[in-house]
Amino acid sequence: MESINPMFQNTRSKKMISKKEAPENHRTKKRQTRSDKCHNIKFPVTPIMQMKLRTYCKQTRRFYQNKDGQALSQTAFNTALLQFGLQHIDIVDWGLEYGDTKTYMHTMLIEKHYHMIGGPYGLAIQKQLSDRKVVFFIIASVLYWIEKGGSIEEILQ
C-alpha cells in the first residue's frame, strides 16, 4: 500500500544526490577579500586620555571639515593617530603603565595595516603583548608626542 504523501514513501526508491555526485562546474571558488576591509580594534582609555582624544578630535574637526567637506569622527581620528604611530614607531614608549579601565575607544584599521599589529610577524608577537596593549601604547605615545609640540595637521595629511 502506497502513501498519498510522498514524504512517507520508501526512501530507497528515491535517488539522492550527494555532494560527491555534484557536477564539476559547480565547484566553489575562493572569494577574494575586499580591499577596503577594516579591522575594528578597541582599546582601553583612562578618563584623561579620553578627554584629550575627544578634545583634539573636536579641534581638528573644523580643519578637516574645511578640507574634505565631511566631519571627522572620533573613530577616524583615533585611526589616523594609530596609522601615524605605526609609521613613526620610534616615538612609541613601550614602558607606559597599562590598565584595563573598562572604558574603550575604537579604531578601524585597514586589514593590510592591521597585519603590522596582529599579523604573524606583527608588533603584538614581537613585543609579546595583546593587540589592545599595542594600540594603547601607540596612541598614548602619539598623544604625548602632540603634547610635546607635535603637529596634529602632520598626522591628518
Side-chain angles (χ1 to χ4, degrees), residues 36-104:
D36 62 345
K37 182 179 177 183
C38 293
H39 194 91
N40 184 10
I41 307 171
K42 65 180 187 176
F43 60 98
V45 289
T46 62
I48 294 172
M49 189 175 170
Q50 183 180 25
M51 181 184 68
K52 288 178 185 177
L53 284 169
R54 293 184 71 197
T55 303
Y56 287 137
C57 180
K58 290 202 183 228
Q59 287 175 359
T60 58
R61 227 177 235 166
R62 292 184 189 104
F63 166 74
Y64 192 80
Q65 193 171 24
N66 292 338
K67 186 177 177 183
D68 284 352
Q70 290 184 342
L72 181 67
S73 69
Q74 184 68 54
T75 302
F77 179 74
N78 295 345
T79 304
L81 292 180
L82 181 60
Q83 288 176 341
F84 181 80
L86 286 172
Q87 292 169 358
H88 301 89
I89 204 71
D90 55 318
I91 66 170
V92 177
D93 180 13
W94 299 104
L96 293 173
E97 183 179 332
Y98 174 83
D100 192 0
T101 59
K102 305 295 183 200
T103 305
Y104 302 100

Side-chain angles (χ1 to χ4, degrees), residues 76-92 107 109 113 116-117 123 137-147 149-157:
F77 179 74
N78 295 345
T79 304
L81 292 180
L82 181 60
Q83 288 176 341
F84 181 80
L86 286 172
Q87 292 169 358
H88 301 89
I89 204 71
D90 55 318
I91 66 170
V92 177
T107 62
L109 199 59
H113 296 296
M116 294 174 65
I117 294 173
L123 290 170
F137 289 144
I138 291 173
I139 290 183
S141 299
V142 172
L143 278 177
Y144 183 67
W145 177 80
I146 292 171
E147 289 173 0
S151 172
I152 296 176
E153 294 166 356
E154 183 182 339
I155 293 172
L156 294 177
Q157 287 178 355

Side-chain angles (χ1 to χ4, degrees), residues 99-141:
D100 192 0
T101 59
K102 305 295 183 200
T103 305
Y104 302 100
M105 291 186 111
H106 295 266
T107 62
M108 291 294 286
L109 199 59
I110 296 176
E111 193 71 28
K112 66 179 181 179
H113 296 296
Y114 171 72
H115 290 296
M116 294 174 65
I117 294 173
Y121 302 106
L123 290 170
I125 300 294
Q126 292 173 9
K127 303 291 183 184
Q128 296 180 353
L129 301 170
S130 69
D131 294 352
R132 287 184 183 183
K133 283 185 182 181
V134 170
V135 171
F136 173 82
F137 289 144
I138 291 173
I139 290 183
S141 299

